[in-house]
Amino acid sequence: MPTLPWVTPNPAPPGAQAFVMASRFEVRSLGDVPRFFWKSLAAWRQVRSAPGAFGASLIAQPTKRVFFTLSAWESRDALYAYARTEPHRGIMAGLRATMRSSTFTFWEVPVEQLPIGWDEAKRRIAEQARIDGGA
């Protein structure tokens, strides 16, 4: 599946900072991929109308059992409010058992640097995975 391109649900005010989150999820088996993919599309629809969302993109690599997300928010609180709201909240709880691994990384950028490129996001995810793994 191709990358779902960066969407901008809410315009970012010039001069503001964006709180960015990038994640990588790997599911346990190919059998888990359809369910994870279907649920990720529900979360994708939610983020497109989420208050405080400045942008988001998604990469699905079903044959590798890997999914990447990238989003920018007006604040950490806006991101966490989205995560606590249905359907995202239920999706997280319902998919926990299917996860082999997950990595999350966060940073801030001036909104003028949006959209964040996938090369930068994947670099930061890899760096965070090394830190999380103790390497």
Side-chain angles (χ1 to χ4, degrees), residues 18-83:
F19 184 75
V20 179
M21 184 200 76
S23 61
R24 179 188 183 276
F25 301 99
E26 183 178 348
V27 295
R28 293 185 185 278
S29 73
L30 285 174
D32 293 323
V33 167
R35 183 167 175 255
F36 190 95
F37 179 71
W38 183 253
K39 296 292 186 178
S40 68
L41 290 179
W44 175 255
R45 285 188 297 275
Q46 180 187 357
V47 78
R48 292 178 61 119
S49 62
F54 289 158
S57 182
L58 172 73
I59 294 175
Q61 298 175 326
T63 59
K64 294 181 180 179
R65 304 181 334 265
V66 172
F67 299 82
F68 292 92
T69 70
L70 176 61
S71 58
W73 299 85
E74 71 180 14
S75 66
R76 179 184 299 262
D77 289 344
L79 169 61
Y80 290 171
Y82 160 77

Side-chain angles (χ1 to χ4, degrees), residues 54-133:
F54 289 158
S57 182
L58 172 73
I59 294 175
Q61 298 175 326
T63 59
K64 294 181 180 179
R65 304 181 334 265
V66 172
F67 299 82
F68 292 92
T69 70
L70 176 61
S71 58
W73 299 85
E74 71 180 14
S75 66
R76 179 184 299 262
D77 289 344
L79 169 61
Y80 290 171
Y82 160 77
R84 288 188 308 266
T85 303
E86 294 298 340
H88 190 274
R89 180 180 173 191
I91 290 168
M92 287 190 318
L95 291 176
R96 197 165 282 127
T98 67
M99 301 307 304
R100 178 174 184 194
S101 65
S102 57
T103 303
F104 299 88
T105 188
F106 306 91
W107 71 100
E108 291 188 13
V109 298
V111 296
E112 290 75 19
Q113 292 182 16
L114 298 178
I116 302 296
W118 273 109
D119 288 344
E120 174 67 7
K122 287 183 175 181
R123 181 191 69 75
R124 287 178 180 262
I125 291 168
E127 181 179 297
Q128 187 63 51
R130 283 189 298 276
I131 293 167
D132 292 349

